[in-house]
Amino acid sequence: MPITSSILEVAKAHPDQLAIVGADQRLTYGELVADSRSLFAAVDSLHGAQSAPPHPAPETEGIPITAVSLTSAFETSRIIAGLAGFRAVSATIDPRWPLNHQVGVITTTGIGVVISDSTDLAEALASSAWTGTVVTLAQLRELEADVAAGALTTAAIGETTTTPPTVRDDAEPFLMLFSSGTTSNPKAFIKTRRQYRDNVAVSSAHLEPFPGVATLAPGPVSYSLTLYAVIECLATGGSVHVADEFDPFTMGARIADEAITRIVAVPAVVRAIAEAARRSPERFRGLDLVVTGGANLPASIRSSLGEVLPETRLISYYGAAEIGFIGDSRDGDGTWITVYDTIGAQVRDDDGMRLPDGEIGTLWIEAAACSYGYVTGTTEDVLRGPDGWASVGDQGRIENGLLQLAGRAGDIAITGGHKVSLPEVERAFEAFSLVGTAGDSGVTGDGGSAGDCGSTGDGGSAGDGRPRLGEVCAIALPDDSLGSIVALVIEVGSGPDAAATMQGTPDKAALPDKAALLAHARAQLAPQFVPRRFYTLDRLPRTVGGKIRRAETVELIMSGQGTRL
């Protein structure tokens, strides 16, 4: 269902139904429609006042681009939803990106208006050749108020008029999204309205964003998972509750007080939910469904949530922002993904030939929601092949119709002629107990961008109460005879930031010796997958979103900063 069509229908039938809810702010559907008229008029006047506006990327078909770079999840959601019913292309830029990356995407893609409270960004753009406009949230709100009151704005803008939102044409560009932005130049791509409607059709069929359901989607709206949760809730007539971050001390009260029954969140938040529910289970009893992005959810998270909230269902889905939803895992160890029936999936070799069942190769997807390609100038990567199938470089295997991910291209090591999935090595240590040896191996996965390591658990204890090894990253190190060898790097939690983010990570004294680690690996893995070396680091390198960076981990070990066991 188109987002604007749904918003207009609910606003007419149930104007007082909540649409977007923050910690201290909320908009009903009726208010969202009224708010959108003043919002678009204000933004449109900012674009119109430019004497030499930036040229938007050709993929936008001439529609001006408005970017939101705010820390407020509520305001970002309000702006994106408000502009959806008008001729506008919206983008969300993570204010935590490196400044040069923010400036780069703004100037390269021809963004015309940036809503940001960052003085540094405003100054950097002012010193560049960019000819667009930066406006703070307060300035935008003031301009909206002037428009709503029918007052004149600045002389340069003149008098503004408002028009109601309308259902837009299928082919019209809708959102500009980005696939990265932390350690590499962000790759931009466009989603048309048809592609987002196709994506909503898939998620509606499998992830249950039903009409009237209250969904909590905590985290920055610059994350594609959070942004999509906002869109899908409004597109299906639900209420989306947002938060700048997940605070377990206050979120439990919101879940209970606002009758939230569905959560869409990254795996780290699901882990925090389980811990918070363990302390105050009565606040979480109403939760029916938790949906998390990233395949191969660590077994410790799945078991912890199931132990404390046995009536709450958990779905871990797999998808790519460029492509859309692909499939999900709902039980067992979570490593095998059921591909949705409207999605095509193939594993191919480097020459594009389809591989037989069980062999690791590059995953190619056929999906109606897939973007056409990347925005000119932001990357030379190709998203779609000549046959229309798309790949973001994920590696995997297919057996008996089920998909198992092996990471991205940088997550595959070639050792002695064998392909080794580094995330698979990490998964084996998810079940390693610091007290004795755990049984079956668990699950992990990167669930993020290329080169990110997975998490082996919560760094403390899983459902059985035994302390776990903590965060690990499997890497490939160069070797003269084998080409490369597999090594495992263990975070020991004594770095300057570890106390705040890695509670429960073992210290050096609590670590097992190399013999115990090897014995566990040999019991869980094929011989070529067994790490030949083990290292510790005080702190594994991470993205701003908390994902471990594999390539940077290799650099730290190669430069001698790790301790070899």
Side-chain angles (χ1 to χ4, degrees), residues 69-443:
S69 184
L70 298 170
T71 58
S72 169
F74 176 84
E75 290 291 350
T76 304
S77 301
R78 178 186 75 89
I79 294 169
I80 296 297
L83 294 179
F86 300 90
R87 184 178 180 272
V89 171
S90 302
T92 56
I93 295 177
D94 193 334
R96 299 177 301 174
W97 278 0
L99 184 60
N100 63 313
H101 286 181
Q102 297 182 55
V103 173
V105 298
I106 291 168
T107 56
T108 301
T109 61
I111 290 170
V113 170
V114 177
I115 303 166
S116 171
D117 290 329
S118 169
T119 302
D120 290 342
L121 178 58
E123 291 176 349
L125 289 170
S127 63
S128 71
W130 184 65
T131 57
T133 304
V134 179
V135 60
T136 66
L137 178 60
Q139 291 169 336
L140 176 66
R141 280 288 201 177
E142 183 178 355
L143 185 54
E144 290 178 74
D146 287 343
V147 171
L152 294 179
T153 58
T154 66
I157 296 175
E159 187 175 2
T160 58
T161 59
T162 65
T163 57
T166 58
V167 178
R168 311 296 300 177
D169 183 75
D170 268 356
E172 190 175 86
F174 174 37
L175 291 177
M176 177 182 287
L177 305 175
F178 303 96
S179 62
S180 70
T182 302
T183 60
S184 61
N185 291 329
K187 295 183 290 187
F189 54 95
I190 294 291
K191 286 289 186 183
T192 66
R193 295 176 184 276
R194 173 77 266 170
Q195 289 162 354
Y196 242 92
R197 290 164 187 168
D198 287 331
N199 214 22
V200 170
V202 176
S203 69
S204 297
H206 300 282
L207 304 179
E208 304 180 22
F210 297 144
V213 167
T215 296
L216 173 65
V221 182
S222 53
Y223 289 1
S224 59
L225 176 144
T226 312
L227 173 61
Y228 184 74
V230 172
I231 298 295
E232 75 168 357
C233 288
L234 297 177
T236 54
S239 301
V240 61
H241 297 246
V242 296
D244 301 340
E245 58 185 1
F246 184 84
D247 177 5
F249 298 104
T250 61
M251 214 55 63
R254 281 189 67 181
I255 291 170
D257 295 344
E258 298 172 2
I260 292 169
T261 59
R262 180 175 178 266
I263 292 180
V264 178
V266 297
V269 169
V270 179
R271 180 190 303 146
I273 291 169
E275 291 303 312
R278 195 177 301 277
R279 293 190 294 269
S280 304
E282 67 282 353
R283 292 183 170 180
F284 297 83
R285 296 299 186 200
L287 276 183
D288 173 55
L289 178 64
V290 175
V291 177
T292 187
N296 298 339
L297 184 73
S300 61
I301 297 178
R302 190 181 294 271
S303 61
S304 293
L305 188 71
E307 180 182 88
V308 68
L309 296 174
E311 302 302 319
T312 301
R313 295 172 295 133
L314 176 63
I315 301 175
S316 57
Y317 72 79
Y318 165 59
E322 297 98 317
I323 296 172
F325 293 104
I326 296 170
D328 67 47
S329 174
R330 301 176 183 233
D331 50 30
D333 64 6
T335 58
W336 292 101
I337 299 161
T338 300
V339 178
Y340 297 139
D341 53 8
T342 56
I343 306 298
Q346 294 180 359
V347 174
R348 304 177 182 177
D349 63 17
D350 293 340
D351 295 322
M353 300 299 293
R354 189 169 182 176
L355 292 171
D357 271 17
E359 290 194 26
I360 293 178
T362 302
L363 181 63
W364 288 81
I365 299 295
E366 183 182 45
C370 184
S371 295
Y372 296 126
Y374 294 110
V375 170
T376 304
T378 63
T379 182
E380 295 183 355
D381 291 351
V382 176
L383 176 62
R384 290 198 188 208
D387 59 359
W389 287 58
S391 178
V392 294
D394 283 344
Q395 305 291 293
R397 59 169 70 89
I398 294 177
E399 290 186 12
N400 300 318
L402 298 177
L403 169 67
Q404 186 181 55
L405 293 181
R408 292 280 176 96
D411 298 330
I412 303 296
I414 307 298
T415 176
H418 297 285
K419 283 185 177 181
V420 173
S421 165
L422 297 175
E424 196 166 328
V425 176
E426 294 160 358
R427 285 197 291 270
F429 286 88
E430 204 269 333
F432 190 97
S433 172
L434 295 180
V435 181
T437 301
D440 296 336
S441 64
V443 185

